[in-house]
């Protein structure tokens, strides 16, 4: 049977103070009142029934996830005791799905982006399921057809087309985030896709690859799903490593005899990694500012003003240019728009100067 | 006996959102944790005992005044049912003081400024009391010896010195806020003082002047103190007018046969009318920003950052230049420092666009 696991970990420091340790960006209700998590659920809910949709998230966020996805049973929310990087979220989820159905084919999807059109995404995911069902030896990735030489994504280098699946290609190589020059070359060649960080495979295929590449991880996640009461003891012993580095790259290099193939996503792919990309999702006021929540702007332009402090709080700007203003119940950030890349640095300063409870 | 009335009305729109309809600037604890009201009380408490110090304020602020001045009995806080401009605060207070002591000499002092040194202020106020006690026909004003050609104050034009009181002068004329050129001329001439808006007189002298100039007002305030239960009925019937326009200007022009004299204040006189003057009272952080409350600044300079939203709220700035940030529990203002003169306009916009409860 087909399963979907939505990966919703991560702290999202770049959107501080909207996102906090207690509230990662996937849970922020920033797109017409919906969170990225909710959008991710709605993207896949036409493909599989709710009892086969799982979410893997930090345990501290499990209640918030449950509140945003009331359709899911509590047992379908996998709460990691702590973050151990992407491989272990993927591996634990795969083991849990394999426990429920040893023949399961599972899509591991992210909740970091706004994707349109949703139909096109669902169509590609359906193709990826079909490829994984037809090929026990395939790790299927989703590759976004690039619309620009973006330097913020990894790239997949396409090789031969998969027989019987027009447009689906073997992946020859995973490339880290490139320089601007290299990204230009990649996109001009037509041979590269953005690495979406989404995967489809038989759960047992992924676990079999781990048996070869990281056997201790494979054993541990199988133990966790067999004895879930040992989660807190075992999960923190897992080696911290990304799924690309642990599995996708070595397999694409032929390390195990399995193969990596990629299904293209011809979609609009908006990463909501920082405030400049978030602004694209906000409405525009009469002065050309991007605003959200209870705000008033006077003589201000080119600003991003986000107020999530509730209806009893007003954010007003006066004679302001190209400035970011973010107000939450516990913190206010005001930043020059050209400086938002330094938010992580600011959060570190907040942590050391004021206290971790504000970071 | 000597009395002091501290005039603490007014909304202080220019310091929005620190000051609100519910919390005028005199009540803001902005000077080393003390409010301007508290400082005004401390300036006069060496001159008269607490039972002869009164505060005239808006009734909605009476509880806050009482909390900041626990030394005063409840009956010494005169709460106006509504603002009717400065004359009526002065007239009602004078009538109340005259009821307590028909021979009383009363100083009417403001709570809008930070004044140093306090000793010098007390010394001048003592002189003003002495002049008023010696001259039943004198309305004594306090004139600040100008330190700059300020265009934000009214000016007093000095005439002859009062015999027996060196440095104390008759006032020939009250001048409205001048242009920059005129202010330069005033200060260069040595003939002008800033109008402090503070007065000392026999209570009955002031009431007698009102009998001539605005007899209905004189009657009404006498009725109010005779039948205090009629305050809400009578106070709103008083004509709205300023004390300068109603009394000081006509008397200085000889309208009644009484006279206006002025005692000089050789003090540092800091009006806290707006944010730029408020900033002078704040501490300076390591980046040269003026800050107050829980704040962190990174890569920011020339900013004023005021956080009164409490210790559970942090205000952080990043890469910001010459910007005002004010956070309170119910509103956040972010303004270019060159635009703070438009705060009143912004508050009007807030009132109409968002609602009076935020103004």
């Amino acid at each position: 049977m087909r399963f979907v696991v939505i990966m919703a970990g991560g702290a999202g420091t770049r959107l501080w103070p909207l996102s906090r340790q207690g509230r990662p960006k996937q849970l922020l209700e920033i797109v017409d009142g919906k969170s990225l998590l909710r959008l991710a659920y709605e993207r896949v809910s036409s493909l599989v029934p709710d009892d086969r949709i799982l979410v893997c998230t930090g345990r501290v966020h499990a209640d918030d996830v449950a509140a945003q996805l009331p359709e899911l049973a509590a047992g379908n929310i996998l709460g990691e005791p702590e973050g151990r990087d992407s491989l272990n979220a993927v591996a634990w989820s795969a083991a849990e799905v394999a426990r429920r159905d040893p023949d399961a084919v599972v899509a591991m999807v992210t909740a970091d982006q706004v994707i349109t059109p949703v139909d096109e995404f669902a169509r590609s995911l359906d193709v990826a399921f079909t490829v994984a069902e037809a090929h026990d030896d395939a790790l299927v990735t989703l590759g976004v057809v690039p619309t620009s030489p973006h330097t913020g994504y990894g790239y997949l280098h396409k090789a031969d087309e998969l027989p019987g699946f027009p447009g689906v290609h073997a992946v020859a190589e995973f490339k880290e985030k490139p320089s601007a020059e290299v990204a230009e070359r990649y996109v001009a060649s037509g041979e590269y896709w953005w690495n979406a960080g989404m995967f489809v495979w038989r759960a047992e295929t992924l676990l079999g690859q781990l048996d070869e590449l990281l056997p201790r991880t494979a054993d541990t996640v199988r133990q966790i799903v067999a004895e879930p009461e040992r989660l807190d003891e075992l999960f923190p012993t897992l080696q911290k490593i990304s799924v690309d580095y642990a599995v996708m790259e070595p397999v694409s290099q032929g390390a195990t005899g399995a193969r990596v193939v990629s299904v293209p996503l011809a979609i609009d792919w908006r990463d909501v990694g920082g405030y400049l990309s978030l602004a694209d999702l906000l409405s525009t006021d009469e002065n050309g500012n991007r605003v959200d929540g209870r705000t008033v702007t006077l003589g201000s332009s080119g600003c991003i003003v986000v107020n999530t402090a509730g209806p009893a709080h007003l954010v007003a700007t006066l004679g302001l240019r190209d400035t970011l203003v973010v107000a939450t119940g516990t913190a206010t950030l005001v930043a020059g728009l050209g400086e938002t890349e330094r938010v992580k640095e600011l959060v570190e300063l907040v942590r050391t100067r004021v206290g971790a409870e504000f970071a």
Side-chain angles (χ1 to χ4, degrees), chain A:
Chain A
M1 285 188 294
R2 293 180 177 184
F3 284 74
V4 173
V5 177
I6 302 169
M7 318 301 297
T13 307
R14 287 160 64 201
L15 285 175
W16 184 90
L18 285 184
S19 59
R20 307 275 298 263
Q21 290 175 309
R23 196 145 192 261
K25 70 174 177 183
Q26 294 93 341
L27 294 174
L28 304 175
E29 291 166 342
I30 48 183
V31 184
D32 297 331
K34 292 181 181 179
S35 69
L36 295 176
L37 174 68
R38 181 77 207 170
L39 293 179
Y41 164 77
E42 293 180 356
R43 280 198 293 268
V44 299
S45 61
S46 65
L47 294 174
V48 298
D50 288 338
D51 65 332
R52 282 188 260 134
I53 298 176
L54 290 82
V55 177
C56 186
T57 187
R59 181 187 291 160
V60 293
H61 313 134
D63 288 347
D64 286 338
V65 168
Q68 291 192 358
L69 302 178
E71 296 87 349
L72 301 192
N76 279 17
I77 298 171
L78 307 181
E80 298 176 306
E82 60 178 66
R84 302 296 297 171
D85 212 334
S86 59
L87 176 67
N88 296 298
V90 160
W92 178 27
S93 303
E96 173 61 22
V97 167
R99 186 188 67 77
R100 299 185 185 195
D101 173 10
D103 293 325
V105 177
V106 57
M108 308 279 193
V109 301
T110 59
D112 292 343
Q113 291 83 18
V114 177
I115 291 173
T116 49
V118 169
D119 286 352
E120 181 65 19
F121 175 81
R123 206 194 54 75
S124 293
L125 198 61
D126 186 63
V127 170
F129 270 119
T130 307
V131 172
E133 286 159 348
H135 295 280
D136 276 358
D137 66 339
L139 304 180
V140 183
T141 74
L142 297 180
V144 181
V145 180
T147 52
S148 70
H150 204 293
T151 58
Y153 302 131
Y155 283 72
L156 308 173
H157 191 183
K158 295 188 288 182
D160 295 342
E161 196 172 69
L162 190 68
F165 290 95
V168 178
H169 285 257
V171 172
E173 217 176 347
F174 280 74
K175 295 288 192 182
E176 304 270 328
K177 294 175 185 178
S179 65
E181 293 80 352
V182 173
E184 294 272 7
R185 192 146 41 78
Y186 285 175
V187 173
S189 74
E191 295 177 7
Y192 291 82
W193 291 334
W194 291 338
N195 180 1
M198 299 200 198
F199 312 101
V200 185
W201 43 48
R202 286 193 181 278
E204 283 296 354
T205 298
L206 187 270
L207 293 168
Q209 294 297 301
L210 286 176
D211 283 330
E212 291 189 49
L213 296 165
L214 281 167
R216 214 169 66 74
T217 294
D219 291 348
T220 303
V221 296
R222 284 198 185 95
Q223 258 182 303
I224 288 172
V225 301
E227 301 173 86
E229 66 281 6
R230 297 183 64 196
L231 174 64
D232 284 7
E233 166 205 342
L234 295 172
F235 199 85
T237 70
L238 289 163
Q239 182 189 342
K240 262 193 178 181
I241 189 169
S242 76
V243 63
D244 281 356
Y245 195 70
V247 178
M248 304 312 287
E249 295 182 13
V251 173
S252 72
Q253 303 295 309
T256 61
R259 54 183 166 162
V260 177
V261 299
S262 186
V263 172
L265 284 172
I267 51 163
D268 183 46
W269 170 264
R270 293 197 187 190
D271 199 36
V272 189
Y275 280 109
L276 299 184
S277 49
L278 173 63
D280 290 338
L281 307 174
L282 304 180
S283 55
T284 304
D285 77 2
E286 74 276 17
N287 299 318
N289 305 290
R290 298 291 189 144
V291 299
D292 188 50
R294 196 185 273 282
T295 59
V296 166
T297 65
L298 176 63
S300 303
S301 60
C303 295
I304 303 172
V305 185
V306 179
N307 177 10
T308 66
H313 192 93
L314 169 69
V315 175
T317 72
L318 172 62
L320 211 59
R321 298 279 174 280
D322 302 327
T323 302
L324 169 71
V325 182
V326 183
T328 74
T330 53
T332 301
L333 168 65
V334 184
L337 272 190
E339 305 277 338
T340 57
E341 289 299 312
R342 294 176 71 191
V343 170
K344 278 189 177 190
E345 184 186 344
L346 177 70
V347 174
E348 272 318 299
L349 186 66
V350 166
R351 193 187 310 278
T352 57
R353 184 81 61 86
V354 190
E357 69 274 24
F358 287 99

